Each structure stands twice: as C-alpha cells, then as structure tokens.
Amino acid sequence: MGNVRANLRRLPAFLRAAIFRVGMPDSDRTRLKAVMSSLFLHIHAPKVHQHSLQWWYTLGLGLISTFLFILLTLSGVVLMIYYVPSVGEAYGRMQDLMHAVAWGRVLRNLHRWTAHGMVVAVLLHMMRVFYTGSYKAPRELNWLVGLALLVVTLALAFTGYLLPWDQLGYWAAVCGVNIAASPTEVTDALGVTQSLDVGGWQRQLLLGGREIGGDALNRFYVLHCVVLPLIGAGFMALHFFRVHKDGLSRPDESAAARDDA
Amino acid sequence: MAQADDARDEGRRRFLVKVGAAGLAGSGVVATLGTVAFSDLRAYNERSPVFKLGRPEDFASGTRVYLDGPRLFVGRDTRGLYAVSAVCSHLGCIVRDGGEGFACPCHGSRFDARGAVIGGPAPRPLSYVALTVEPNGLVYANVASRVDPDDRLEV
Ligand code: HEM
Ligand code: FES
C-alpha cells in the first residue's frame, strides 16, 4: 500500500522526465542533449554557425511558411465540419458560416488570409534562397523540393478558391482549368491532338466532365482537403530533413569554398 | 571459400535489387494507368450540347440576343440565322455584346462583330455553332458542333 502511494506521488516527476528526457539544461552539453533528444527541437541542427543566427539572413520566411501551413490545416479541418462539397449546398453553407455560426466569420477569414499569407511567404522565402545563393551545391535537391512545395502551395490556393462555389471561384476555375488544357495549343500546332490530347486529358482529370459542375467541385474538394496537404506535408518533411543535413547556408560559405580551392 | 560466398551474396543482392526495382516500376505504371482510366467517366452526368432556341420568327432581322442557357448570341442578318458562342477563346469567360463587337471582362480580349480577334490575349476568333430546324418547326443549336462564320440557317 505504501509502495503504491509512493509510486503515485512520483508519477508527475516520472511523466515529466519521460517527456523532457533531460532536465532543465545548465551546460552546453546538456543543452545539446536536450535538443537532440526531442523530435521537435532536433529539426534544428544541434550546432549552428554564428552567421545562421543572424535573423536577417533567412528572415524566418521558411518557418513563417511552415506555421501558416499548420494554421491552415487546423482552421481547414474546423471549416470541414460545416462545409459540404455539393453544387446545391456549398454556397449556402458558406453563408451560414458567415452569419449563423459562432466565430464562423473569424474562422473563414483566418483560413482565407493565412492562405494569401502563405503564398506571399513562400514566394519571399524562395527569393531569399535565390538572393543568398542557397540553391547552390550541396543544396540543389532542396531547391527542387522547394519548387514542388511552391507548386503544392499554389495548387492549394487554386483548388480552395472554387470551394465556396461563388462567381469569383467559378470563373477563376474556368480560366485555371483552361490553362491546364493549354497543351492543346501545342498539339494542335503539331496536328496530333486527335491521338495525343494532353491538354484535354488534364482538363478531364480536373473536371470529371466537359464543364465545371458537381464532379469538378468534388475533385477540387478532395485535392484541397486530402491529396495536396498530404503531398505538401511529405515534401516538407523531406525539405526540413535536407536543411538539417546540409546545414543552413552562410554568407561567407562560397568565399570560404573559393579560398579552400 | 569466404570470398566466393561474398561474391555470391553480392550477385544475389544485385539480382534482388533489380527484381524489386522492376516490380516497383511496373506497379507504378499500372497504378498510373489505372488512375487515369478511373478518373475518366464512361458517360457524363451533363446536359446535352443540343439546345432548343425557339421559333424562327422569334429572331427578328438585324437583331442579336444573348441566350444564357447555351451561352450563345443568336442573330439574324439578311442571309439568315447564325449563332456565335459567347465563350471567350482565351480562357473561357463569357464575352459581352458591345453592339459593334464583343469584349471579354476577364483579360480584355476584344472581337469584332464577326467574332474575329481585334485585341487582347485571345488566340482564336469566337466560334460559330451549328443551327438546325427540326420537324417540330423549332430552331436547335448544337454547341459542340462548329461551323464556318459565313454559314447561315435560311428560315
Ligand atoms: C511550403 C513551402 C515551404 C516551406 C514550408 C519551406 C520551409 C523551409 C524552412 C523552415 C527552411 C529553413 C530556413 C528558413 O527558414 O528560411 C527552408 C530552407 C530552404 N528552402 Fe524552403 N520552404 C518552402 C518552399 C521553398 C521553395 C519554393 C524553395 C525554392 C524553390 C525552397 C528552397 C529552400 C532551400 C534551398 C533552403 C535551404 C536554405 C539555406 O540553407 O540557406 N523552399 N525552407
Ligand atoms: S478569358 Fe476572355 S480574355 Fe481571358
């Protein structure tokens, strides 16, 4: 009996130790250990160059993109509780969300503005990587992974825009899908559209028909809520793993490499 | 002896890697083709491309009206009835009738009264679609069937 009580009393400390592994770090060695033994912290390299700590070098744009993605995922899941991807219901559901659901308007605007913000943040992040020359060896692969993330980000923005089933989204989707069908201009010029209609096939894949209707709305919904976020999360994991392995680039890196040679 | 074993092991590993890679590539191809086939419906859940427009005398000479269902401008000139598609040849918005010609609100393409491009990004003229009179005496348009801009239905 006494043992049980003693064990119960130790439980909080025991749990804390199981979660945090190392206590409050008090030396470089324990600080390093704390970082390395945590899944979330070890995304950061345990040792970084002084240059990488200068905030103006990355401007934190990659992390900002990540946090916006997390916010979008959370607010999106909550939006899914009221949203119904059907031609008859979608628009009314958005109206309900704006007028009949507590915090609905805030939620919808949160999702919308973080979506705009993520597109901007990702583009700025890409510019930062470009202007600091961080796409050079050994980070070429991560540049390519980044391009995939850019495409996923834009595709999320595009597919999400149709979901309210309003005039803006409808016509944006008409134009976007016709852009996806534009290889037809090339196959037409070559005179092979009859046998190899890449544009028409892409259009068909997105719409599930000849016009934008219920099938298209459902496909956009599946892409927006399941397929693209999963692909994005997968590429992000790869992206962070590469940042971790290659280390952040440094302003003096290429100069140092030149001096070494 | 040990060396011979190592060499045999090595050969076996290479073989297994090749079999594995071929298997992955094969199932990748099958999965892709399957997905393509899956995403194309054998029959579309859609309205027919043939629309009933009305009686021939509904369209007075020298006029042109916009019909929202088939997205057509239907008009009559001295030679007969014609129907111009209102779907912009650029990216598919609906053009407006400006009297002298047509203008697209999306990216500013402009077309003359015959539908030829006179400005903006549109790559092709507006299309003319086939009109017929059925035995019931009514005019029908098939928006999936294109005709020459000079074709007229004489009714
Ligand atoms: C969903 C979009 C993206 C997210 C969430 C993301 C996230 C990140 C994060 C957290 C970092 C660490 C450094 C920093 O904060 O700047 C990073 C670095 C990097 N990113 Fe991205 N990124 C995205 C898109 C892109 C794009 C579009 C490109 C370029 C095509 C790109 C290329 C790179 C490269 C090359 C690095 C290494 C930079 C260095 O070592 O200085 N990323 N990314
Ligand atoms: S869709 Fe008409 S100008 Fe682009």
Side-chain angles (χ1 to χ4, degrees), chain B residues 15-16 47-48 57 66 87 94 142:
Chain B
F15 173 74
L16 287 176
R47 51 186 192 165
S48 139
E57 57 271 27
Y66 176 62
V87 177
I94 301 298
N142 181 348

Side-chain angles (χ1 to χ4, degrees), chain B residues 6 21 25 38 57 61 70 89 100-101 131 142 149:
Chain B
D6 279 357
F38 173 78
E57 57 271 27
S61 187
S89 61
E100 301 286 285
L131 294 177
N142 181 348

